[in-house]
Amino acid sequence: MSSVCIVGTGLSGLICGMRLTKSGYTVHIVEEVTYPGGLLASAKIGNEYLERLPHHLRKTDHALLALVKEVGLSDKLEWFNSYWHGHASGRKIGYFASGFASLINMLIQDITDNGGKISYSCTVAELTKDPTTNTFKTTCVLSDSNRVSIESDYVIFTGSCRPFVNVCHGLPIEMNVRDQLMNVTYKPQISLLMVLKKQVSEVYYRSAKDSPFQKVINHSLCFGTRGYGGNVVYLVGECAISDPLWIEDEATLMKYYFTSFRKLYPTLRETDIKSWRLTKVRYARFDSFPEMDLSAPMENLFLCSSGLSKYATTDEPANRMESVVALANSIVAKIEFNEEKKRLEQDVSFVEKESIITPLVNEING
């Protein structure tokens, strides 16, 4: 069976790894940081693991819900009523009993149980292809500055478009495709997670105008205080890479965010904060979909990014897990189709050789 190198341990990379290892492929996943999850990465908050960025499921997340059922987590998924500022009716949103870490851990367990390998602190420096063997070489830099190379028949890159192009200079990707990939632009995101002594609002989600953040997500209002040690609130903002906010230190950013938060809830005091954590994401939300399908920039090389889940459309982009789950499923299906096609071609070639050899043998025997 063929080998696959997957770049990134976010949700899409782990889905591809889980499906391919179960099908018998040799899978090696490399991850730049020391922990899995990508945008779904969790941190220990009190006695619980909680996502660094806010997440929930929707009833319309059909591909994601099918995955939850497949990995055996349906009984851990709970549905809650949520109220959104400016909306007359509530919405049902889903969350796991042990957070999304349970989904990430289950995927990792399936991968390793089926022989897959995951390497952390592995930063991809270059992707090349050997024309004689038709295999890819993924060169990674380790935390000790040493380099390792992983050879594989397929590569699935699950990061953002700009970093992908930066490591693919040695690949014969069409110039038009390269240009389109470079045109998929992203906005950085800064998310402040606070654990508060008290509940500050009766709505799960509200927008915030004239603030450094654009969203207030009252996590504990829906999902409870659990073992967090208080009420969890996320303040999520986007900015330009040139914005001074992006390079500001965490303590200054926290004070700036909290001061704006108090304008929304004046009774809140700094002493009401039990703990906080700030997360910066360089490639958080993409601005628009590309003009063409860029998920397969060349043969046996795939790019699984939410920004490529649609193309040739003016639909407004939304960072939802559903689209990237569906794209991951599609990429796995393409790899399996390629392998089946290759197997059939080999079978046909073998039959043709047999049909040539057999008459010759009969003629010699005669």
Side-chain angles (χ1 to χ4, degrees), residues 54 188-194 196 200 204-218 233-240 243 245 252-266 268 278-279:
Q189 187 178 88
I190 302 172
S191 177
L192 174 65
L193 183 163
M194 293 186 297
L196 304 176
V200 295
Y204 169 74
Y205 173 95
R206 71 166 292 176
S207 58
K209 296 180 180 179
D210 302 320
S211 297
F213 48 86
Q214 289 82 47
K215 303 173 185 176
V216 178
I217 297 170
N218 204 342
V233 175
Y234 293 94
L235 308 180
V236 183
E238 294 175 353
C239 63
D243 195 312
L245 276 178
T252 302
L253 272 173
M254 190 277 169
K255 289 182 179 179
Y256 187 40
Y257 267 47
F258 184 72
T259 300
S260 296
F261 188 50
R262 280 195 62 195
K263 292 178 181 178
L264 300 174
Y265 305 103
L268 196 63
L278 195 98
T279 301

Side-chain angles (χ1 to χ4, degrees), residues 17-25 70-71 110-111 114 336:
M18 180 269 289
R19 298 203 184 288
L20 290 168
T21 53
K22 282 188 173 181
S23 294
Y25 291 83
E70 180 182 352
V71 298
D110 282 347
I111 291 167
N114 287 284
E336 292 182 334

Side-chain angles (χ1 to χ4, degrees), residues 286-291 306-313 315-318:
F286 53 97
D287 289 325
S288 60
F289 290 106
E291 297 176 2
S306 58
L308 307 182
S309 57
K310 293 182 180 180
Y311 59 95
T313 176
D315 289 355
E316 184 178 351

Side-chain angles (χ1 to χ4, degrees), residues 125-172:
E126 187 178 20
L127 279 173
T128 55
K129 191 171 186 180
D130 187 336
T132 58
T133 61
N134 205 33
T135 57
F136 290 95
K137 183 166 75 171
T138 304
T139 303
C140 301
V141 179
L142 306 180
S143 56
D144 59 4
S145 297
N146 285 322
R147 292 189 171 224
V148 296
S149 293
I150 301 165
E151 292 189 3
S152 61
D153 301 297
Y154 295 90
V155 171
I156 304 174
F157 192 98
T158 67
S160 303
C161 298
R162 187 70 56 94
F164 171 77
V165 174
N166 290 340
V167 300
C168 289
H169 294 299
L171 291 176

Side-chain angles (χ1 to χ4, degrees), residues 9-11 37-42 51-55 189 281 283-285 306 319:
T9 58
L11 182 59
L39 295 179
L40 260 181
S42 298
E51 301 76 49
R52 297 165 185 257
L53 304 172
H55 284 84
Q189 187 178 88
V281 181
Y283 299 98
R285 187 180 69 81
S306 58
N319 272 7

